[in-house]
Amino acid sequence: MSHEIAAEMVANVLTLVAEQGAVLEAGDTILILESMKMEIPVLTETKGTLVDLRVSVGDVVQEGDVLAVVS
Amino acid sequence: MTTTVPVKPAKLPREDDPRHPVKRLSALFDKGSLQLITPDDLSGMLAATGTVDGTHTVAFCSDPTVMGGAMGHDGCKVVVEAYERAMADSAPIVGLWHSGGARLAEGVLSLHAVGLIFRAMTLASGRVPQISVVLGPAAGGAAYGPALTDAVILGPEGRIFVTGPDVVRSVTGEDVDMLRLGGPEPHGRRSGVVHVLADSEAHAIGEARRLASLLGDQGSLVIDDVADVDLAAALPESMRRAYDVHPLLDQLLDRGSGVELHARWAPNITTTLGRFGGRAVGVIANNPLRLGGCLDSASAEKASRFVRMCDAFGVPLIVVVDVPGYLPGVGQEWDGVVRRGAKLLHAFGEATVPRVTLVTRKAYGGAYIAMNARALGATRVFAWPGAEIAVMGAVAAVRILHRRRLAETAPDVRPQIETELAAEHERLAGGVEKAAEIGVIDEVVEPGRTRSALAGALARALTDDSPQGRTRGPHGNIPL
């Protein structure tokens, strides 16, 4: 089963923390977004492999944009 | 409100059926305390009294072994009787739901009877705590029953909807099953109908027991039982870094006492019932991990309903503030952030229960006011050293106030000038010292002394017997 992780709000991609292919536990940080002058970690709710990382540092993401897929 | 049921009810007995209402009611009450107050018959509902952790409690339970738990004249009368008993005894009331809705065969008589339940629930609102546990389908009237109560707990087999998949398909053409229409995912995350998701029937009933105990036996605040811990240990070093507020709340409340309501819906604010020094309290906290902790229309609505519930039952509030502002955007404005945000201002503004505020890192703009600011009548407002209370962040403010000067500055020195201007601005307009000077912060308190400071403020308010010391709001808990 794969889980898409989407942006909750408009933001800049500040840092990529996990690499594609990484094995993640629930609660691990995938990347950090910047919005409202804050650095907001994006976590995975499920354990699995980071099969798709769809953004790069500096990207502007909109609410609902899929950032990553954990399978 | 439609259901397909046989005209003749199924026959009793059904002793081996795990859905037997006596079994479910027995699981709710302390062992050996169950006493039926209505006969175990074919009405489709059964009511009882008993104790929950020693607290006298009233409960009623659908009987899904009779016509799928459908509600007719007799079954609804059972629920109304349970409400009369709860009101007479000033006892919490718990409803265990598993019902296809009104009994079709009884026609308008059953609709009228269901309406009488709604009336009884509304009149009891804010007077006695009402908790609903949905263990199977709860359709039509059986959906609105739980929705009128203070807290809805959903078991893994619980499904709540007004019209079922068949009607939806025939009217709108949408192909959807009961799980996706009204199961844990839609009601836990999207609709806000459900307060607590449970992963088993036993867990669901256990959570109902915890809530009945918290609201029905609130206890007394014992200051000596409130030990200080460094609450800031749970926070990141950088002021800009978002974090999950839950570890802080776990340390703030008595260990393991918290029941979070609406955990997955509008998660940028948290609403938790728990104990503090042994006394039931409600805690509202911004959660910076989600949406940066911004207030938005859904979170403001969620918090306002929680504030009004706590106020109605005399549960003191602790408000933990770390809010960067309201979430900007066309979607928010069109979603009614003005109307729905106003509910939070109203809820705090009218609340008479003791309510203390703690600003941990920042409180900006209109959201500062909405989080139980001094102006809304907070009992006492604390802030940690270094907290910022301002219209907006200092850097953002100087970029507006000094736009021209910064534009004329060479790009390589601009960040440094910005930092200097921000420090100066903070000193003049935003720092916690300035807020204390104006009187909107009563006390700057170290994170390691915060629990005892909050306990002291609440204890003083709870023993205030002046007219201003009234500790229970005279209103119901409309499901905002």
Side-chain angles (χ1 to χ4, degrees), chain B residues 350-366:
Chain B
E350 76 173 340
T352 56
V353 80
R355 45 188 163 105
V356 294
T357 300
L358 168 70
V359 183
T360 57
R361 298 207 305 187
K362 62 187 176 305
Y364 291 158

Side-chain angles (χ1 to χ4, degrees), chain B residues 22-69:
Chain B
V22 171
K23 285 185 184 153
R24 284 178 163 166
L25 288 166
S26 301
L28 174 71
F29 289 124
D30 298 338
K31 204 168 185 181
S33 71
L34 171 87
Q35 283 191 310
L36 296 184
I37 54 175
T38 59
D40 183 13
D41 57 15
L42 294 173
S43 74
M45 278 284 183
L46 188 61
T49 63
T51 57
V52 171
D53 278 341
T55 301
H56 176 61
T57 303
V58 178
F60 60 90
C61 183
S62 305
D63 184 353
T65 68
V66 182
M67 299 167 74

Side-chain angles (χ1 to χ4, degrees), chain B residues 41 46 50 99 135 252 281 349 358 394 426 480:
Chain B
D41 57 15
L46 188 61
S99 167
L135 296 170
L252 174 66
V281 295
L358 168 70
E426 200 174 303
L480 288 178

Side-chain angles (χ1 to χ4, degrees), chain B residues 96-290:
Chain B
L96 305 178
W97 291 87
H98 188 149
S99 167
R103 280 188 181 177
L104 199 58
E106 288 187 25
V108 179
L109 182 66
S110 66
L111 290 182
H112 176 68
V114 171
L116 293 175
I117 295 183
F118 297 163
R119 166 89 164 150
M121 290 175 153
T122 305
L123 292 178
S125 182
R127 309 278 298 280
V128 295
Q130 302 177 58
I131 295 150
S132 300
V133 187
V134 179
L135 296 170
Y144 281 114
L148 281 167
T149 64
D150 301 306
V152 181
I153 300 162
L154 191 70
E157 305 303 321
R159 309 284 182 263
I160 305 174
F161 41 78
V162 177
T163 50
D166 292 346
V167 176
V168 169
R169 193 175 300 113
S170 70
V171 174
T172 70
E174 292 164 301
D175 191 21
V176 66
D177 58 18
M178 289 210 295
L179 180 67
R180 205 167 74 81
L181 185 64
E185 179 69 20
H187 286 316
R189 278 186 205 271
R190 290 175 178 273
S191 70
V193 167
V194 166
H195 295 78
V196 179
L197 295 174
D199 51 26
S200 68
E201 183 164 324
H203 180 210
I205 290 174
E207 292 296 278
R209 284 177 53 88
R210 293 179 73 195
L211 287 174
S213 173
L214 278 164
L215 293 171
D217 179 17
Q218 295 182 19
S220 304
L221 174 57
V222 180
I223 290 189
D224 291 345
D225 290 349
V226 181
D228 272 314
V229 291
D230 181 12
L231 293 178
L235 268 57
E237 273 182 32
S238 165
M239 286 278 278
R240 286 167 53 86
R241 179 58 62 94
Y243 58 93
D244 183 11
V245 79
H246 290 96
L248 189 160
L249 301 180
D250 289 345
Q251 289 203 298
L252 174 66
L253 288 167
D254 295 351
R255 187 186 297 263
S257 70
V259 180
E260 185 175 358
L261 306 181
H262 283 139
R264 295 189 195 173
W265 178 59
N268 41 323
I269 205 160
T270 64
T271 48
T272 309
L273 283 171
R275 291 197 186 270
F276 183 64
R279 200 210 187 286
V281 295
V283 182
I284 296 154
N286 308 113
N287 189 7
L289 188 65
R290 309 301 296 271

Side-chain angles (χ1 to χ4, degrees), chain B residues 11 93 123 164 171 201 208 256 269-270 307 320 327 329 371 378 421 423 435 446 450:
Chain B
K11 281 181 187 164
I93 181 163
L123 292 178
V171 174
E201 183 164 324
I269 205 160
T270 64
V307 169
V320 181
L327 186 66
M371 292 301 291
L421 287 170
E446 292 290 334
T450 298

Side-chain angles (χ1 to χ4, degrees), chain B residues 282 284 307 311 315-319 344-358 371-382 454 457-458 461:
Chain B
I284 296 154
V307 169
D311 189 47
V315 176
L317 293 164
I318 300 173
V319 185
L344 189 53
L345 301 173
H346 193 289
F348 275 127
E350 76 173 340
T352 56
V353 80
R355 45 188 163 105
V356 294
T357 300
L358 168 70
M371 292 301 291
N372 197 37
R374 154 66 48 242
L376 294 185
T379 303
R380 196 161 177 82
V381 183
F382 297 94
L454 293 170
L458 283 178

